[in-house]
Structure formats: structure tokens, C-alpha cells
Amino acid sequence: MEKYSIRGLVGRLCEPDIPIFPLETELNLPNQRVINIDVLRTRSDLFKPNEKILLEQLLTYYCKTEKVTYKQGMNEILAPFLLLNRHNVPLHICYTCFKNFVAKFIPTLFVDDAFKPLSGLYIVTQLILKYHLPDLSTCFNNNEITPDIYMTTWYVTMFSSKIKEIGLLYIFWQYLIDTNDNLFIIYFGIALFEFFKQEIQSQEVMSLPNVFKKIFIGDYDTLQIVLQNSERIKANMPITADMILKKYNMFCLENTESFVKVLEKFTCLLILPREIIMQTYPHNVVCKCLDPRNCKTKRLKYLLIDCRPIKEQKNGYFINSHLLSKGAQKYPNKLLNYPKNFAILKKSTHIALMSSEENKDEENFVQKLFDSFIQHEFPYVSIVSGGYKSCHEFALLHSLEILSHKTKRCLACNNCNDPEKKTTESTLDNFFRIGNIQKTLIPIIKYDFTPTDKIYKCKINESQDIEESEFGLIVTEKQIYLYNIRRKEVIEIFDINQLTKIASNKTCPEYFSFTFSAEMPKRAFILRPEECKEFLIKVRNYFQALRNKNSSEIKLIE
Ligand SMILES: [Zn+2]
Ligand SMILES: [Zn+2]
């Protein structure tokens, strides 16, 4: 871990040499008094009187220009940035760093008067805590210690209240920015708990809220250990679970409530079929790399426990999976003690539980077995989203062997025949289908592309791996074709002269949305990052050539 440098921190948050702008403003907000009182309390040992005036002024300026009401927390985040001024960082740069820092990590937290995003982050925190520190999670649950009690300060002060020494805080913030991971704040908070676990567990439950208040990082060594623990927690997150949680961006205020509703139904982290199958099937079957020891595909050690009823297991099961025994299915007491069979794997292996399919209550042992694992304080236990049905589909799609597969009797095979009923990675599709493909293929007779035209591989679903996608875009002088590479079929044609706009997403530049002038719905595609520019230039050139003939407007944003 590097020691901080002022220039390093500033450089990460603000363009160098941005022109100076005036920060003066009248101190006349309706709740100016609250700001004034908070300013007096903010790092009062550190601030000189003239700096306190500046702090109030910048807070007021921020609220006015960003059109937000002042909220406690802003002061704690702004203060350390203001102190950069002592190191010859101009005031407008200090301010811009603060503003950009907030925009990066908690973009709408201060916008919403009810701190709505926090309600979602509470659930996410609980899920991650349960995965990594089930004992603490159970202790909190049993004693009604909800995340709002301990977690609010993590976000509203960005740990400024937990890391009092300003140099340490700069190191942490710089580190945080470099992770470029918006779940890292949660990993860090959980790592902090892990560090103080004994202290937490030795206290009376009643006094826990006070214990939380006293947890802070006071020296460099502690910070270093907690950061290392955070990295370990991060490394032990299933990739697809991390992906699912990130899809629910709580700072997207118009979606926060619906996201919260979805996440409230999660009892634990969900992982996607592709992860469990890739991690449990033999290396040579799922990966082409030649160095299994340093393989990037094989990341975590996994055990899949197949919790389907025995009669379903008989009609096919996955390689390297453990079949939940008949006894455990029959006797609740055996199910309760079932985790004892895996004592040797505790803390070293990730355990994924799979049911027949999602949301099927009868004969569903998954939830009960999950609870048993948590009771036995096993970390790293998750449930496979979509259950056997989705895993089965994934395996068939990638021609992976299913053992003892009796296709005539297999429930999944016989439910799959109707393509309308397909359940593919449903968790993501509920909210995040970004491109719609017309289901019926339009017979297309005339194509003007040739077999040598470049195909820009693309995906239409964010959750998909682009290299596994079947789709590509072909650009010709007049048209863009959506092409199924595997089936060698054209799926849709877009006329370039009908285009009015191609926008690429700020946070994800490879995400393109196409807007057309005619009554065509918007289309969205995700390209390979390295091919975006080339693709865009090609479309723009052809468009401009066409525009010379007709006069419509196009806005192409790079
Ligand atoms: Zn490999
Ligand atoms: Zn089958």
C-alpha cells in the first residue's frame, strides 16, 4: 500500500488546471443555522477560524449550485478536501475534488431527502455480511441490529468519521478511488468488523450501538490490515453475485424502490448457473487455457449441492455435484445437521445450493439447508439463481455433459421445449434486458454485405459474456445488420439514413444506443471496447456520405 500523495489524490479527482471560478455566496439558506452549527463541530480540533468560515461557505455554495438541501455528512466529506488548501491546492480545486468524489461514490445520496439509496445498500450489506461473516450476521439478526445502526456513517461520511487522522483518510480515499469498485465501501466496512470481531462479540448486545461508535482506525498498520481484509473479502465474492448486486444501482433514484423490493426477496447471495458450472466442471471441459494452475476462469473452489428430490436427481445431474441424500430429504433433523458432513470444507470452499427451479416451495430443501449452513456458521454459501432448470439449459447450450441424463424423463428437458417458457438467468433479465430482438424472423432477401465484411461482435444482454454472444453487427454503406454469427442469419436491418442518434453510455462507453427517425424503437448494443471507435467512425462516414444526398441531422457522440 502506498503512502498518499496530495497530488495523487487530487489528480484522481480533478483535471489539472481547471479555470478558477468564484465560490463566494451569501450564507442565507433556510437551514443555514444547521450548517453553521455543524461546521463548528467538524474536526473542531483541526480547523482554524478562517477555515471554518470557508467550510460554511463551500457547503452553502454546494447546496445552492447542486440544488440540494444541506445534510449532515457533507461537512465530514468536505472538510478533508478543504484541508488540502493548506498544501497549496487552490480552493476551487479542493471544492471540485469534493464534488467529484461525492458524484463518483454517492452520486444521489444527498439529493434524496430521505437518503433512499441507503435502504437498498442496507440490504446489500446484509447479504454480503451473511456470506462472509455468518456468525456476526446471525448475532446482529437475533438482536435486531439492523445495518442502519452501523452503516449509515460509512456512506454519509465516506468513513471520514471512522478515520480521524487526516493522512490515513487520504490514503483510504485514494485507495478507494483506485479500486473503481462501488461495493468496496461495503467490503471495507465488513473488514473493519472482522478486525474488531472479538470486541464486538464480547460486548453485551445492548451496548453494541455504542461499540460501533467506538470502532475506528487510528493508525497506519490497522488501516493496512483492514484494507488487506477488504481485498480478501472482495476476492472471495462470487463474480456473478457481485455482478447481480451491482446491477441494482441504488443511486439510480427512479429505480431504487423497485430494486429494494427485488432485493428484499433475496435471502442470501445468488450466483448464476454459468459460474457454478464453470467452477465445478473439469478444467479441460470448460476452459481452453493451457495453464490450469494459473487459470483465470477457475477462480474459487466450489461445491455444488443438488437439493432436488431424489426422483429428479435420477434423471440427470452435474459432474462434481453432491446430491442431497434421501435421509436429509426425509428427516428434518438430518437436514439440520447435514452441514457437519462438510466440516472439512468450511471456510475453504464456496458452497452453492441448487433447487429444481426458482420459487418452487414444495420439496424445496434449499432454503432449509441454507439456514442449516448458516447455523453451523459456514461462510461462502449461496443459492444458484434459476436452479437446475437454468443450469441444465446452460450445460446443454455449451454441450457440457450431464451425467445419467434421461432426456425423456428429465423435467428440465420436458419443460424446455417451449421456448417462450425458457428461464435464462432470470434475476438479471427481470430488469436489465437492454436490447429487444424481434422474435419472428423477417424474411430478408436482399443483403448488401459480403462474406468478407467485418462483423463487430456485440451482445444485447449486459449479463452475457461478449465472446460467447452469437450476435454481431455488420456495417455497410447504407445499412447496419444485426447478424446471428452461429446460425449465419440476418436478424434485423437498420437503415443508416434513418438514424438520428447514436449515444454511448458515459460510464460504459461500449454500450451504444441507436435512435431512429422512423417509428422504430430504440436499440441498444454492447460492443467489444476495443472495437467501439472503429465501429463508430465507420457508421459516421457512411452516414455523412448519405447525408450529402439527403439533409437530415445526425448527432454522433463519441
Ligand atoms: Zn483455464
Ligand atoms: Zn434434461
Side-chain angles (χ1 to χ4, degrees):
M1 185 171 67
E2 263 181 71
K3 293 251 180 187
Y4 77 99
S5 76
I6 298 287
R7 203 197 283 180
L9 180 63
V10 172
R12 281 164 174 81
L13 289 168
C14 182
E15 295 282 327
D17 310 325
I18 56 163
I20 189 163
F21 54 90
L23 291 153
E24 283 87 35
T25 182
E26 257 186 275
L27 306 181
N28 58 357
L29 283 171
N31 59 351
Q32 196 68 42
R33 228 187 106 65
V34 183
I35 304 180
N36 186 270
I37 292 169
D38 274 359
V39 162
L40 295 178
R41 282 198 291 235
T42 314
R43 294 189 181 256
S44 49
D45 49 330
L46 219 62
F47 273 85
K48 297 173 194 155
N50 65 321
E51 287 171 329
K52 285 180 188 166
I53 296 169
L54 276 178
L55 185 59
E56 181 169 1
Q57 188 191 315
L58 295 194
L59 285 169
T60 311
Y61 180 85
Y62 180 78
C63 292
K64 284 185 181 175
T65 50
E66 300 297 311
K67 299 188 173 62
V68 296
T69 37
Y70 170 77
K71 292 171 193 72
Q72 282 185 343
M74 285 178 186
N75 55 329
E76 294 279 355
I77 301 176
L78 177 56
F81 285 111
L82 180 58
L83 286 171
L84 291 172
N85 194 225
R86 288 184 187 174
H87 301 269
N88 297 325
V89 177
L91 203 58
H92 72 289
I93 303 267
C94 297
Y95 173 81
T96 307
C97 286
F98 158 72
K99 197 181 90 172
N100 291 347
F101 186 67
V102 169
K104 186 173 170 66
F105 288 102
I106 42 172
T108 56
L109 191 64
F110 294 134
V111 175
D112 186 68
D113 284 339
F115 286 117
K116 224 181 337 176
L118 282 180
S119 56
L121 294 164
Y122 292 154
I123 305 175
V124 174
T125 304
Q126 267 175 321
L127 293 170
I128 298 177
L129 181 69
K130 197 188 265 185
Y131 195 76
H132 296 275
L133 303 177
D135 48 349
L136 220 50
S137 160
T138 307
C139 162
F140 290 176
N141 283 343
N142 292 345
N143 298 294
E144 288 171 24
I145 304 281
T146 46
D148 53 307
I149 298 173
Y150 55 81
M151 206 199 85
T152 308
T153 55
W154 300 359
Y155 276 96
V156 298
T157 76
M158 293 301 289
F159 285 99
S160 176
S161 60
K162 295 277 160 209
I163 308 177
K164 283 289 176 197
E165 218 260 283
I166 208 87
L168 290 180
L169 184 64
Y170 291 150
I171 295 175
F172 171 63
W173 281 357
Q174 188 166 318
Y175 194 97
L176 186 66
I177 297 164
D178 288 345
T179 62
N180 203 16
D181 182 343
N182 49 22
L183 290 181
F184 198 84
I185 300 170
I186 298 177
Y187 303 152
F188 187 78
I190 290 175
L192 196 59
F193 278 156
E194 195 178 13
F195 188 81
F196 289 99
K197 195 161 129 181
Q198 276 187 334
E199 207 168 324
I200 295 172
Q201 285 172 330
S202 68
Q203 299 289 329
E204 287 287 320
V205 170
M206 290 292 284
S207 63
L208 273 184
N210 276 325
V211 176
F212 296 144
K213 272 181 205 154
K214 283 179 203 147
I215 286 180
F216 68 95
I217 291 176
D219 56 70
Y220 183 78
D221 289 341
T222 310
L223 177 63
Q224 195 160 19
I225 295 169
V226 175
L227 280 175
Q228 278 163 4
N229 289 350
S230 320
E231 288 294 347
R232 202 196 57 246
I233 291 172
K234 180 181 159 125
N236 273 310
M237 277 294 282
I239 285 186
T240 54
D242 181 273
M243 206 170 86
I244 291 172
L245 294 180
K246 282 182 181 146
K247 297 289 168 195
Y248 296 99
N249 179 2
M250 293 302 166
F251 293 105
C252 188
L253 289 179
E254 61 266 37
N255 292 333
T256 308
E257 274 165 33
S258 55
F259 285 175
V260 168
K261 271 190 197 134
V262 177
L263 282 184
E264 273 171 348
K265 292 190 189 125
F266 283 37
T267 51
C268 63
L269 292 188
L270 296 183
I271 64 169
L272 297 182
R274 85 170 91 130
E275 178 155 18
I276 189 63
I277 298 288
M278 298 288 273
Q279 300 300 326
T280 51
Y281 267 60
H283 178 263
N284 62 340
V285 179
V286 292
C287 184
K288 289 187 190 103
C289 86
L290 298 171
D291 186 7
R293 253 181 262 166
N294 295 313
C295 179
K296 284 191 182 128
T297 309
K298 291 274 179 189
R299 204 175 137 258
L300 300 171
K301 221 172 126 195
Y302 264 106
L303 174 73
L304 173 63
I305 302 185
D306 184 338
C307 304
R308 288 174 302 149
I310 303 287
K311 59 178 195 292
E312 286 180 40
Q313 292 171 354
K314 280 183 179 156
N315 296 325
Y317 59 93
F318 298 119
I319 294 173
N320 291 331
S321 62
H322 173 93
L323 305 176
L324 183 68
S325 74
K326 205 173 177 175
Q329 301 203 5
K330 211 168 166 191
Y331 305 105
N333 199 35
K334 281 201 171 167
L335 192 64
L336 197 64
N337 287 307
Y338 207 67
K340 286 182 182 164
N341 298 323
F342 306 99
I344 197 169
L345 304 179
K346 192 174 178 177
K347 292 185 182 168
S348 67
T349 303
H350 293 249
I351 294 169
L353 310 179
M354 180 184 70
S355 63
S356 292
E357 62 182 285
E358 240 173 356
N359 305 326
K360 193 177 159 194
D361 288 332
E362 49 163 333
E363 295 181 312
N364 186 351
F365 302 106
V366 162
Q367 196 55 50
K368 286 175 195 140
L369 185 58
F370 176 82
D371 294 340
S372 310
F373 271 109
I374 294 300
Q375 261 186 33
H376 287 85
E377 299 186 348
F378 272 69
Y380 312 143
V381 188
S382 62
I383 291 178
V384 183
S385 170
Y388 183 75
K389 201 173 168 187
S390 296
C391 294
H392 173 278
E393 194 180 324
F394 180 89
L396 294 188
L397 194 68
H398 293 84
S399 316
L400 299 170
E401 189 188 359
I402 296 175
L403 300 175
S404 302
H405 195 194
K406 300 180 187 72
T407 48
K408 278 190 187 150
R409 289 188 185 170
C410 166
L411 266 185
C413 276
N414 293 299
N415 284 338
C416 258
N417 293 339
D418 180 0
E420 294 291 318
K421 274 191 182 169
K422 272 191 177 180
T423 53
T424 40
E425 309 201 324
S426 53
T427 323
L428 291 175
D429 279 1
N430 290 343
F431 277 98
F432 305 107
R433 192 182 291 282
I434 56 168
N436 285 314
I437 294 196
Q438 292 180 348
K439 278 183 188 139
T440 46
L441 298 178
I442 314 153
I444 296 159
I445 307 138
K446 255 174 48 191
Y447 308 145
D448 66 350
F449 65 85
T450 64
T452 54
D453 276 333
K454 175 154 182 177
I455 301 174
Y456 294 90
K457 204 143 191 197
C458 71
K459 56 178 179 174
I460 50 170
N461 183 325
E462 259 185 287
S463 65
Q464 210 180 4
D465 178 347
I466 193 157
E467 297 312 320
E468 283 178 13
S469 165
E470 312 182 336
F471 301 109
L473 293 171
I474 301 173
V475 186
T476 67
E477 278 177 38
K478 289 179 185 159
Q479 277 145 342
I480 301 170
Y481 294 84
L482 177 62
Y483 189 68
N484 186 313
I485 301 165
R486 192 170 57 86
R487 296 204 301 243
K488 297 193 169 59
E489 275 172 2
V490 170
I491 298 167
E492 263 189 293
I493 303 180
F494 312 110
D495 286 324
I496 291 180
N497 64 7
Q498 299 276 304
L499 261 177
T500 53
K501 188 175 166 190
I502 296 182
S504 100
N505 190 315
K506 256 187 207 156
T507 50
C508 171
E510 59 268 31
Y511 174 125
F512 288 100
S513 66
F514 292 49
T515 316
F516 301 92
S517 57
E519 287 166 8
M520 277 184 64
K522 256 190 175 182
R523 287 287 194 280
F525 302 102
I526 301 174
L527 273 72
R528 285 184 181 129
E530 66 272 20
E531 287 179 348
C532 292
K533 201 162 184 184
E534 183 189 317
F535 172 80
L536 202 59
I537 289 172
K538 208 166 188 177
V539 177
R540 185 166 50 192
N541 288 345
Y542 288 139
F543 178 82
Q544 271 162 358
L546 286 171
R547 188 162 60 165
N548 292 338
K549 292 174 203 161
N550 61 53
S551 61
S552 66
E553 235 338 282
I554 192 168
K555 282 175 264 170
L556 291 180
I557 302 161
E558 262 180 85

